[in-house]
Amino acid sequence: MTEKKRTTIILFSGDYDKAMAAYIIANGAAAYDHEVTIFHTFWGLNALRKDEPLALKKGLLEKMFAKMMPRGADKMALSKMNFAGMGPKMIKNVIKKHNAMPLPQLIEMAQEQDIKLVACTMTMDLLGLQQEELLDNIEYAGVAAYLADAQEGNVNLFI
Amino acid sequence: MTEKKRTTIILFSGDYDKAMAAYIIANGAAAYDHEVTIFHTFWGLNALRKDEPLALKKGLLEKMFAKMMPRGADKMALSKMNFAGMGPKMIKNVIKKHNAMPLPQLIEMAQEQDIKLVACTMTMDLLGLQQEELLDNIEYAGVAAYLADAQEGNVNLFI
Amino acid sequence: MTEKKRTTIILFSGDYDKAMAAYIIANGAAAYDHEVTIFHTFWGLNALRKDEPLALKKGLLEKMFAKMMPRGADKMALSKMNFAGMGPKMIKNVIKKHNAMPLPQLIEMAQEQDIKLVACTMTMDLLGLQQEELLDNIEYAGVAAYLADAQEGNVNLFI
């Protein structure tokens, strides 16, 4: 087994701040020539949702999940100090003030750097998310594909 | 140092969804011939609790922890959208609908696949958990044993 | 690329119990001759704050963050069962009872074992934290320095 410079991140969390951390590490690793994959599962899938309502056929449970979960990176909440939405506003304000990048731009940058963005098909199924609802140019795969990437490198994180 | 295909997961979280993710990755890795260990520490120990009350001698603090913590995998709450127990019910319903496996079955499957399930003795001590309260056929160890496994492979996750 | 015994932990969380887990693993790894780094980012920076108010020039947002975030390891809350501060007290009581180490002592021990404690400069900036507010003898760096350490070893955790 050859050891490549590779960073593979599982993004499980649907929190704005944790997703920011994931994408900052990923973009940094890509800049240092790592092959980088972000595998989005469970609530982390929300980072890939498009910010537009779509008329899709869904069962009742799937409709409830779709309604309760944030539609896209910009709508996600903080893991701490969310204060009913005040926290994300504060974070976005400091990001702007310090010329840092908000999450949607970090995701765009990741796509430009050819970071492989993967949506976990098993949890898409569970949460009733369909491909039409997610960003373009992402891949769809399961735990086998994750392992194939992860076992080839050593920067493996679960966020 | 030889690099084996090895997946070593620390399950710190006591959330139903995070424990599901841990066991799905572990079962997947075992299916792809990894040697797999799940090291349960802090709230993750609750996944290993038996679903039956036992008359054990405990101090007051230990009794309080025992009472407040979920007794076994089936009683655990979600990390997000728990809604006083509504969330876990929804998740269990979609799991059933999609013929996926609920957490207790994922744990059984892990034991059948010879995944090493370890309970962290130091945090058992802190939380006042005794071996009689936990599932049969698990191992008891500390951070040294965790490191011995983790340093031999490269899929190392903290969940 | 040579494979060293190396443990590199990103401490993102500001929870007392998660920080304890991070420092217990780190101290264990150092005892087994790993080169160990803890990279503190976002809320994890609070573990490094000094427990004394300082008169520093800060903007309004930075003042708000400084006020809302815990000042130092001893003031951090639990990730679960915090119960308005009851939980940390219970944990600290059982730690005392079992002769285990509370977080501030775990951090001291880490410094004595030459574990590299790093504060993420990018998130210090975002949260308005200044070097004067953090413990002495820590390093200041960004994602590039994190990756340089992480890619040289295989026990890489995000906590």
Side-chain angles (χ1 to χ4, degrees), chain C residues 14-16 46-47 49-53 68-78 82 85 88 92 103-104:
Chain C
D15 299 322
Y16 191 91
N46 291 317
R49 285 178 86 188
K50 285 180 194 153
D51 187 10
E52 42 189 79
M68 294 185 310
M69 297 190 304
R71 209 158 54 217
D74 198 45
K75 302 247 172 79
M76 288 156 78
L78 288 188
N82 196 52
K92 286 172 200 171
L103 185 52

Side-chain angles (χ1 to χ4, degrees), chain B residues 131-148:
Chain B
Q131 297 201 5
E132 291 89 331
E133 298 175 80
L134 302 187
L135 299 182
D136 301 324
N137 301 317
I138 61 174
E139 298 183 22
Y140 296 90
V143 69
Y146 162 71
L147 282 165

Side-chain angles (χ1 to χ4, degrees), chain A residues 50-61:
Chain A
K50 286 179 192 154
D51 187 10
E52 41 189 79
L54 288 171
L56 295 169
K57 268 195 192 155
K58 292 199 178 194
L60 180 62
L61 276 167

